[in-house]
PDB file of all heavy atoms in Angstrom:
ATOM      1  N   GLU A   1      -4.394 123.549 105.084  1.00  0.00           N
ATOM      2  CA  GLU A   1      -4.305 124.767 105.899  1.00  0.00           C
ATOM      3  C   GLU A   1      -2.830 125.131 106.064  1.00  0.00           C
ATOM      4  O   GLU A   1      -2.053 124.366 106.629  1.00  0.00           O
ATOM      5  CB  GLU A   1      -4.967 124.547 107.252  1.00  0.00           C
ATOM      6  CG  GLU A   1      -6.472 124.336 107.166  1.00  0.00           C
ATOM      7  CD  GLU A   1      -7.124 124.218 108.529  1.00  0.00           C
ATOM      8  OE1 GLU A   1      -6.428 124.459 109.541  1.00  0.00           O
ATOM      9  OE2 GLU A   1      -8.315 123.886 108.583  1.00  0.00           O
ATOM     10  N   ILE A   2      -2.473 126.288 105.552  1.00  0.00           N
ATOM     11  CA  ILE A   2      -1.076 126.726 105.574  1.00  0.00           C
ATOM     12  C   ILE A   2      -1.010 128.027 106.360  1.00  0.00           C
ATOM     13  O   ILE A   2      -1.782 128.961 106.085  1.00  0.00           O
ATOM     14  CB  ILE A   2      -0.543 126.919 104.145  1.00  0.00           C
ATOM     15  CG1 ILE A   2      -0.720 125.614 103.349  1.00  0.00           C
ATOM     16  CG2 ILE A   2       0.937 127.321 104.159  1.00  0.00           C
ATOM     17  CD1 ILE A   2      -0.385 125.728 101.885  1.00  0.00           C
ATOM     18  N   PRO A   3      -0.131 128.131 107.335  1.00  0.00           N
ATOM     19  CA  PRO A   3      -0.089 129.331 108.183  1.00  0.00           C
ATOM     20  C   PRO A   3       0.308 130.588 107.414  1.00  0.00           C
ATOM     21  O   PRO A   3       0.965 130.529 106.366  1.00  0.00           O
ATOM     22  CB  PRO A   3       0.943 128.980 109.249  1.00  0.00           C
ATOM     23  CG  PRO A   3       1.764 127.881 108.670  1.00  0.00           C
ATOM     24  CD  PRO A   3       0.860 127.115 107.756  1.00  0.00           C
ATOM     25  N   TYR A   4      -0.103 131.723 107.971  1.00  0.00           N
ATOM     26  CA  TYR A   4       0.138 133.025 107.348  1.00  0.00           C
ATOM     27  C   TYR A   4       1.607 133.202 106.955  1.00  0.00           C
ATOM     28  O   TYR A   4       1.910 133.627 105.843  1.00  0.00           O
ATOM     29  CB  TYR A   4      -0.287 134.136 108.313  1.00  0.00           C
ATOM     30  CG  TYR A   4       0.023 135.539 107.833  1.00  0.00           C
ATOM     31  CD1 TYR A   4      -0.935 136.307 107.193  1.00  0.00           C
ATOM     32  CD2 TYR A   4       1.288 136.100 108.023  1.00  0.00           C
ATOM     33  CE1 TYR A   4      -0.656 137.589 106.746  1.00  0.00           C
ATOM     34  CE2 TYR A   4       1.589 137.372 107.576  1.00  0.00           C
ATOM     35  CZ  TYR A   4       0.616 138.114 106.938  1.00  0.00           C
ATOM     36  OH  TYR A   4       0.913 139.376 106.493  1.00  0.00           O
ATOM     37  N   GLY A   5       2.515 132.892 107.877  1.00  0.00           N
ATOM     38  CA  GLY A   5       3.933 133.145 107.624  1.00  0.00           C
ATOM     39  C   GLY A   5       4.460 132.413 106.411  1.00  0.00           C
ATOM     40  O   GLY A   5       5.224 132.982 105.610  1.00  0.00           O
ATOM     41  N   LYS A   6       4.054 131.152 106.237  1.00  0.00           N
ATOM     42  CA  LYS A   6       4.526 130.374 105.090  1.00  0.00           C
ATOM     43  C   LYS A   6       3.935 130.921 103.792  1.00  0.00           C
ATOM     44  O   LYS A   6       4.628 130.999 102.769  1.00  0.00           O
ATOM     45  CB  LYS A   6       4.154 128.900 105.259  1.00  0.00           C
ATOM     46  CG  LYS A   6       4.966 128.177 106.314  1.00  0.00           C
ATOM     47  CD  LYS A   6       4.623 126.706 106.396  1.00  0.00           C
ATOM     48  CE  LYS A   6       5.150 125.925 105.211  1.00  0.00           C
ATOM     49  NZ  LYS A   6       6.620 125.840 105.190  1.00  0.00           N
ATOM     50  N   VAL A   7       2.652 131.283 103.828  1.00  0.00           N
ATOM     51  CA  VAL A   7       2.018 131.834 102.630  1.00  0.00           C
ATOM     52  C   VAL A   7       2.657 133.163 102.261  1.00  0.00           C
ATOM     53  O   VAL A   7       2.950 133.431 101.084  1.00  0.00           O
ATOM     54  CB  VAL A   7       0.492 131.993 102.842  1.00  0.00           C
ATOM     55  CG1 VAL A   7      -0.146 132.736 101.680  1.00  0.00           C
ATOM     56  CG2 VAL A   7      -0.158 130.624 103.015  1.00  0.00           C
ATOM     57  N   TYR A   8       2.890 134.008 103.265  1.00  0.00           N
ATOM     58  CA  TYR A   8       3.505 135.314 103.007  1.00  0.00           C
ATOM     59  C   TYR A   8       4.902 135.137 102.417  1.00  0.00           C
ATOM     60  O   TYR A   8       5.263 135.807 101.443  1.00  0.00           O
ATOM     61  CB  TYR A   8       3.566 136.125 104.295  1.00  0.00           C
ATOM     62  CG  TYR A   8       4.080 137.536 104.094  1.00  0.00           C
ATOM     63  CD1 TYR A   8       3.215 138.561 103.720  1.00  0.00           C
ATOM     64  CD2 TYR A   8       5.429 137.844 104.258  1.00  0.00           C
ATOM     65  CE1 TYR A   8       3.680 139.848 103.525  1.00  0.00           C
ATOM     66  CE2 TYR A   8       5.905 139.123 104.058  1.00  0.00           C
ATOM     67  CZ  TYR A   8       5.025 140.120 103.689  1.00  0.00           C
ATOM     68  OH  TYR A   8       5.492 141.396 103.474  1.00  0.00           O
ATOM     69  N   ASP A   9       5.693 134.242 102.977  1.00  0.00           N
ATOM     70  CA  ASP A   9       7.042 133.993 102.451  1.00  0.00           C
ATOM     71  C   ASP A   9       6.989 133.509 101.008  1.00  0.00           C
ATOM     72  O   ASP A   9       7.801 133.913 100.167  1.00  0.00           O
ATOM     73  CB  ASP A   9       7.764 132.959 103.312  1.00  0.00           C
ATOM     74  CG  ASP A   9       8.171 133.500 104.672  1.00  0.00           C
ATOM     75  OD1 ASP A   9       8.128 134.747 104.854  1.00  0.00           O
ATOM     76  OD2 ASP A   9       8.503 132.700 105.562  1.00  0.00           O
ATOM     77  N   ALA A  10       6.028 132.626 100.716  1.00  0.00           N
ATOM     78  CA  ALA A  10       5.933 132.048  99.371  1.00  0.00           C
ATOM     79  C   ALA A  10       5.501 133.066  98.330  1.00  0.00           C
ATOM     80  O   ALA A  10       5.635 132.823  97.130  1.00  0.00           O
ATOM     81  CB  ALA A  10       4.953 130.871  99.375  1.00  0.00           C
ATOM     82  N   GLY A  11       4.999 134.215  98.775  1.00  0.00           N
ATOM     83  CA  GLY A  11       4.608 135.266  97.846  1.00  0.00           C
ATOM     84  C   GLY A  11       5.759 136.118  97.353  1.00  0.00           C
ATOM     85  O   GLY A  11       5.573 136.994  96.505  1.00  0.00           O
ATOM     86  N   GLU A  12       6.960 135.853  97.855  1.00  0.00           N
ATOM     87  CA  GLU A  12       8.139 136.613  97.426  1.00  0.00           C
ATOM     88  C   GLU A  12       8.517 136.233  95.995  1.00  0.00           C
ATOM     89  O   GLU A  12       8.395 135.069  95.588  1.00  0.00           O
ATOM     90  CB  GLU A  12       9.316 136.318  98.363  1.00  0.00           C
ATOM     91  CG  GLU A  12      10.574 137.106  98.053  1.00  0.00           C
ATOM     92  CD  GLU A  12      11.706 136.774  99.007  1.00  0.00           C
ATOM     93  OE1 GLU A  12      11.554 135.824  99.799  1.00  0.00           O
ATOM     94  OE2 GLU A  12      12.734 137.452  98.960  1.00  0.00           O
ATOM     95  N   GLU A  13       8.985 137.199  95.244  1.00  0.00           N
ATOM     96  CA  GLU A  13       9.404 136.939  93.867  1.00  0.00           C
ATOM     97  C   GLU A  13      10.529 135.914  93.842  1.00  0.00           C
ATOM     98  O   GLU A  13      11.508 136.012  94.571  1.00  0.00           O
ATOM     99  CB  GLU A  13       9.871 138.241  93.202  1.00  0.00           C
ATOM    100  CG  GLU A  13      10.285 138.078  91.750  1.00  0.00           C
ATOM    101  CD  GLU A  13      10.699 139.389  91.110  1.00  0.00           C
ATOM    102  OE1 GLU A  13      10.472 140.452  91.717  1.00  0.00           O
ATOM    103  OE2 GLU A  13      11.252 139.354  89.996  1.00  0.00           O
ATOM    104  N   GLY A  14      10.374 134.902  92.975  1.00  0.00           N
ATOM    105  CA  GLY A  14      11.401 133.884  92.826  1.00  0.00           C
ATOM    106  C   GLY A  14      11.537 132.947  94.003  1.00  0.00           C
ATOM    107  O   GLY A  14      12.582 132.298  94.176  1.00  0.00           O
ATOM    108  N   TYR A  15      10.478 132.843  94.816  1.00  0.00           N
ATOM    109  CA  TYR A  15      10.546 132.020  96.029  1.00  0.00           C
ATOM    110  C   TYR A  15      10.816 130.551  95.707  1.00  0.00           C
ATOM    111  O   TYR A  15      10.263 129.988  94.764  1.00  0.00           O
ATOM    112  CB  TYR A  15       9.246 132.135  96.817  1.00  0.00           C
ATOM    113  CG  TYR A  15       9.205 131.305  98.077  1.00  0.00           C
ATOM    114  CD1 TYR A  15       9.910 131.689  99.210  1.00  0.00           C
ATOM    115  CD2 TYR A  15       8.468 130.120  98.131  1.00  0.00           C
ATOM    116  CE1 TYR A  15       9.882 130.931 100.364  1.00  0.00           C
ATOM    117  CE2 TYR A  15       8.428 129.350  99.281  1.00  0.00           C
ATOM    118  CZ  TYR A  15       9.138 129.758 100.395  1.00  0.00           C
ATOM    119  OH  TYR A  15       9.099 129.008 101.541  1.00  0.00           O
ATOM    120  N   ILE A  16      11.674 129.930  96.516  1.00  0.00           N
ATOM    121  CA  ILE A  16      11.943 128.498  96.446  1.00  0.00           C
ATOM    122  C   ILE A  16      11.735 127.921  97.847  1.00  0.00           C
ATOM    123  O   ILE A  16      12.312 128.435  98.813  1.00  0.00           O
ATOM    124  CB  ILE A  16      13.380 128.209  95.971  1.00  0.00           C
ATOM    125  CG1 ILE A  16      13.585 128.687  94.529  1.00  0.00           C
ATOM    126  CG2 ILE A  16      13.701 126.722  96.078  1.00  0.00           C
ATOM    127  CD1 ILE A  16      15.020 128.606  94.064  1.00  0.00           C
ATOM    128  N   GLU A  17      10.916 126.886  97.957  1.00  0.00           N
ATOM    129  CA  GLU A  17      10.736 126.234  99.254  1.00  0.00           C
ATOM    130  C   GLU A  17      11.804 125.151  99.386  1.00  0.00           C
ATOM    131  O   GLU A  17      11.637 124.027  98.893  1.00  0.00           O
ATOM    132  CB  GLU A  17       9.338 125.651  99.385  1.00  0.00           C
ATOM    133  CG  GLU A  17       9.059 125.170 100.792  1.00  0.00           C
ATOM    134  CD  GLU A  17       7.601 124.862 101.036  1.00  0.00           C
ATOM    135  OE1 GLU A  17       6.959 124.304 100.125  1.00  0.00           O
ATOM    136  OE2 GLU A  17       7.096 125.172 102.125  1.00  0.00           O
ATOM    137  N   ALA A  18      12.881 125.516 100.030  1.00  0.00           N
ATOM    138  CA  ALA A  18      14.025 124.603 100.144  1.00  0.00           C
ATOM    139  C   ALA A  18      13.807 123.648 101.308  1.00  0.00           C
ATOM    140  O   ALA A  18      14.372 123.796 102.392  1.00  0.00           O
ATOM    141  CB  ALA A  18      15.313 125.398 100.312  1.00  0.00           C
ATOM    142  N   THR A  19      12.973 122.637 101.089  1.00  0.00           N
ATOM    143  CA  THR A  19      12.724 121.619 102.106  1.00  0.00           C
ATOM    144  C   THR A  19      13.957 120.744 102.280  1.00  0.00           C
ATOM    145  O   THR A  19      14.910 120.811 101.489  1.00  0.00           O
ATOM    146  CB  THR A  19      11.532 120.737 101.693  1.00  0.00           C
ATOM    147  OG1 THR A  19      11.871 120.053 100.474  1.00  0.00           O
ATOM    148  CG2 THR A  19      10.276 121.576 101.479  1.00  0.00           C
ATOM    149  N   LEU A  20      13.922 119.897 103.303  1.00  0.00           N
ATOM    150  CA  LEU A  20      15.045 118.989 103.534  1.00  0.00           C
ATOM    151  C   LEU A  20      15.251 118.077 102.331  1.00  0.00           C
ATOM    152  O   LEU A  20      16.394 117.845 101.898  1.00  0.00           O
ATOM    153  CB  LEU A  20      14.786 118.156 104.795  1.00  0.00           C
ATOM    154  CG  LEU A  20      15.884 117.156 105.180  1.00  0.00           C
ATOM    155  CD1 LEU A  20      17.206 117.873 105.449  1.00  0.00           C
ATOM    156  CD2 LEU A  20      15.447 116.345 106.404  1.00  0.00           C
ATOM    157  N   ALA A  21      14.148 117.570 101.758  1.00  0.00           N
ATOM    158  CA  ALA A  21      14.254 116.689 100.588  1.00  0.00           C
ATOM    159  C   ALA A  21      14.832 117.444  99.387  1.00  0.00           C
ATOM    160  O   ALA A  21      15.627 116.885  98.620  1.00  0.00           O
ATOM    161  CB  ALA A  21      12.879 116.123 100.241  1.00  0.00           C
ATOM    162  N   TYR A  22      14.446 118.711  99.232  1.00  0.00           N
ATOM    163  CA  TYR A  22      14.977 119.554  98.158  1.00  0.00           C
ATOM    164  C   TYR A  22      16.495 119.703  98.311  1.00  0.00           C
ATOM    165  O   TYR A  22      17.258 119.514  97.352  1.00  0.00           O
ATOM    166  CB  TYR A  22      14.284 120.920  98.216  1.00  0.00           C
ATOM    167  CG  TYR A  22      14.769 121.939  97.219  1.00  0.00           C
ATOM    168  CD1 TYR A  22      14.032 122.248  96.084  1.00  0.00           C
ATOM    169  CD2 TYR A  22      15.973 122.630  97.415  1.00  0.00           C
ATOM    170  CE1 TYR A  22      14.461 123.195  95.168  1.00  0.00           C
ATOM    171  CE2 TYR A  22      16.422 123.574  96.509  1.00  0.00           C
ATOM    172  CZ  TYR A  22      15.656 123.852  95.398  1.00  0.00           C
ATOM    173  OH  TYR A  22      16.102 124.787  94.503  1.00  0.00           O
ATOM    174  N   LYS A  23      16.922 120.016  99.528  1.00  0.00           N
ATOM    175  CA  LYS A  23      18.349 120.241  99.776  1.00  0.00           C
ATOM    176  C   LYS A  23      19.161 118.971  99.551  1.00  0.00           C
ATOM    177  O   LYS A  23      20.251 119.008  98.963  1.00  0.00           O
ATOM    178  CB  LYS A  23      18.555 120.748 101.199  1.00  0.00           C
ATOM    179  CG  LYS A  23      18.006 122.150 101.445  1.00  0.00           C
ATOM    180  CD  LYS A  23      18.153 122.537 102.906  1.00  0.00           C
ATOM    181  CE  LYS A  23      17.569 123.904 103.183  1.00  0.00           C
ATOM    182  NZ  LYS A  23      17.636 124.249 104.621  1.00  0.00           N
ATOM    183  N   LYS A  24      18.624 117.841  99.997  1.00  0.00           N
ATOM    184  CA  LYS A  24      19.364 116.582  99.853  1.00  0.00           C
ATOM    185  C   LYS A  24      19.542 116.205  98.387  1.00  0.00           C
ATOM    186  O   LYS A  24      20.619 115.753  97.975  1.00  0.00           O
ATOM    187  CB  LYS A  24      18.646 115.462 100.603  1.00  0.00           C
ATOM    188  CG  LYS A  24      18.818 115.528 102.120  1.00  0.00           C
ATOM    189  CD  LYS A  24      18.172 114.323 102.789  1.00  0.00           C
ATOM    190  CE  LYS A  24      18.438 114.313 104.284  1.00  0.00           C
ATOM    191  NZ  LYS A  24      17.829 113.133 104.959  1.00  0.00           N
ATOM    192  N   LEU A  25      18.496 116.407  97.586  1.00  0.00           N
ATOM    193  CA  LEU A  25      18.617 116.074  96.165  1.00  0.00           C
ATOM    194  C   LEU A  25      19.578 117.030  95.468  1.00  0.00           C
ATOM    195  O   LEU A  25      20.394 116.606  94.640  1.00  0.00           O
ATOM    196  CB  LEU A  25      17.240 116.123  95.502  1.00  0.00           C
ATOM    197  CG  LEU A  25      17.191 115.694  94.028  1.00  0.00           C
ATOM    198  CD1 LEU A  25      17.778 114.292  93.837  1.00  0.00           C
ATOM    199  CD2 LEU A  25      15.767 115.753  93.492  1.00  0.00           C
ATOM    200  N   ALA A  26      19.509 118.314  95.810  1.00  0.00           N
ATOM    201  CA  ALA A  26      20.434 119.284  95.214  1.00  0.00           C
ATOM    202  C   ALA A  26      21.873 118.960  95.580  1.00  0.00           C
ATOM    203  O   ALA A  26      22.787 119.025  94.740  1.00  0.00           O
ATOM    204  CB  ALA A  26      20.065 120.698  95.663  1.00  0.00           C
ATOM    205  N   GLN A  27      22.088 118.592  96.835  1.00  0.00           N
ATOM    206  CA  GLN A  27      23.435 118.232  97.283  1.00  0.00           C
ATOM    207  C   GLN A  27      23.932 116.969  96.575  1.00  0.00           C
ATOM    208  O   GLN A  27      25.116 116.855  96.247  1.00  0.00           O
ATOM    209  CB  GLN A  27      23.438 118.040  98.800  1.00  0.00           C
ATOM    210  CG  GLN A  27      23.296 119.340  99.574  1.00  0.00           C
ATOM    211  CD  GLN A  27      22.941 119.130 101.033  1.00  0.00           C
ATOM    212  OE1 GLN A  27      22.720 118.000 101.487  1.00  0.00           O
ATOM    213  NE2 GLN A  27      22.867 120.220 101.795  1.00  0.00           N
ATOM    214  N   PHE A  28      23.029 116.046  96.314  1.00  0.00           N
ATOM    215  CA  PHE A  28      23.390 114.832  95.574  1.00  0.00           C
ATOM    216  C   PHE A  28      23.860 115.196  94.164  1.00  0.00           C
ATOM    217  O   PHE A  28      24.883 114.682  93.689  1.00  0.00           O
ATOM    218  CB  PHE A  28      22.189 113.882  95.514  1.00  0.00           C
ATOM    219  CG  PHE A  28      22.439 112.649  94.693  1.00  0.00           C
ATOM    220  CD1 PHE A  28      22.979 111.510  95.265  1.00  0.00           C
ATOM    221  CD2 PHE A  28      22.137 112.628  93.331  1.00  0.00           C
ATOM    222  CE1 PHE A  28      23.217 110.369  94.497  1.00  0.00           C
ATOM    223  CE2 PHE A  28      22.365 111.495  92.561  1.00  0.00           C
ATOM    224  CZ  PHE A  28      22.914 110.365  93.146  1.00  0.00           C
ATOM    225  N   PHE A  29      23.121 116.066  93.498  1.00  0.00           N
ATOM    226  CA  PHE A  29      23.499 116.480  92.145  1.00  0.00           C
ATOM    227  C   PHE A  29      24.867 117.159  92.142  1.00  0.00           C
ATOM    228  O   PHE A  29      25.668 116.950  91.222  1.00  0.00           O
ATOM    229  CB  PHE A  29      22.453 117.433  91.570  1.00  0.00           C
ATOM    230  CG  PHE A  29      21.157 116.770  91.176  1.00  0.00           C
ATOM    231  CD1 PHE A  29      19.962 117.485  91.208  1.00  0.00           C
ATOM    232  CD2 PHE A  29      21.121 115.450  90.762  1.00  0.00           C
ATOM    233  CE1 PHE A  29      18.772 116.886  90.849  1.00  0.00           C
ATOM    234  CE2 PHE A  29      19.932 114.840  90.401  1.00  0.00           C
ATOM    235  CZ  PHE A  29      18.747 115.559  90.450  1.00  0.00           C
ATOM    236  N   MET A  30      25.140 117.948  93.166  1.00  0.00           N
ATOM    237  CA  MET A  30      26.437 118.627  93.238  1.00  0.00           C
ATOM    238  C   MET A  30      27.564 117.623  93.481  1.00  0.00           C
ATOM    239  O   MET A  30      28.636 117.717  92.881  1.00  0.00           O
ATOM    240  CB  MET A  30      26.419 119.687  94.338  1.00  0.00           C
ATOM    241  CG  MET A  30      25.591 120.915  93.984  1.00  0.00           C
ATOM    242  SD  MET A  30      25.720 122.253  95.209  1.00  0.00           S
ATOM    243  CE  MET A  30      24.690 121.618  96.525  1.00  0.00           C
ATOM    244  N   ALA A  31      27.296 116.644  94.340  1.00  0.00           N
ATOM    245  CA  ALA A  31      28.341 115.680  94.699  1.00  0.00           C
ATOM    246  C   ALA A  31      28.570 114.637  93.610  1.00  0.00           C
ATOM    247  O   ALA A  31      29.720 114.284  93.298  1.00  0.00           O
ATOM    248  CB  ALA A  31      27.975 114.988  96.011  1.00  0.00           C
ATOM    249  N   LYS A  32      27.497 114.132  93.022  1.00  0.00           N
ATOM    250  CA  LYS A  32      27.611 113.007  92.091  1.00  0.00           C
ATOM    251  C   LYS A  32      27.664 113.410  90.616  1.00  0.00           C
ATOM    252  O   LYS A  32      28.190 112.658  89.788  1.00  0.00           O
ATOM    253  CB  LYS A  32      26.437 112.051  92.296  1.00  0.00           C
ATOM    254  CG  LYS A  32      26.346 111.458  93.691  1.00  0.00           C
ATOM    255  CD  LYS A  32      27.525 110.557  94.001  1.00  0.00           C
ATOM    256  CE  LYS A  32      27.378 109.882  95.359  1.00  0.00           C
ATOM    257  NZ  LYS A  32      28.513 108.982  95.663  1.00  0.00           N
ATOM    258  N   LEU A  33      27.125 114.580  90.300  1.00  0.00           N
ATOM    259  CA  LEU A  33      27.110 115.019  88.898  1.00  0.00           C
ATOM    260  C   LEU A  33      27.912 116.301  88.688  1.00  0.00           C
ATOM    261  O   LEU A  33      27.848 116.910  87.624  1.00  0.00           O
ATOM    262  CB  LEU A  33      25.669 115.209  88.429  1.00  0.00           C
ATOM    263  CG  LEU A  33      24.822 113.933  88.350  1.00  0.00           C
ATOM    264  CD1 LEU A  33      23.373 114.268  88.025  1.00  0.00           C
ATOM    265  CD2 LEU A  33      25.390 112.981  87.297  1.00  0.00           C
TER     266      LEU A  33
END
C-alpha cells in the first residue's frame, strides 16, 4: 500500500526515488571513485 502522494510523485518523467540508501551509495561513488 503506497500513499497517493508517493505514487503521484513517481509518475513524473525521469523520476528517481532518492532514498537514504541511494544517496549514501551515490556519495560513496563520488568520494571513493
Side-chain angles (χ1 to χ4, degrees):
E1 294 184 8
I2 304 173
Y4 175 96
K6 288 183 73 68
V7 172
Y8 185 85
D9 288 346
E12 183 180 8
E13 182 178 349
Y15 179 75
I16 295 172
E17 189 168 39
T19 63
L20 180 60
Y22 177 104
K23 292 176 182 176
K24 285 185 175 181
L25 184 55
Q27 288 165 356
F28 176 89
F29 287 151
M30 287 187 284
K32 300 295 184 179
L33 294 174

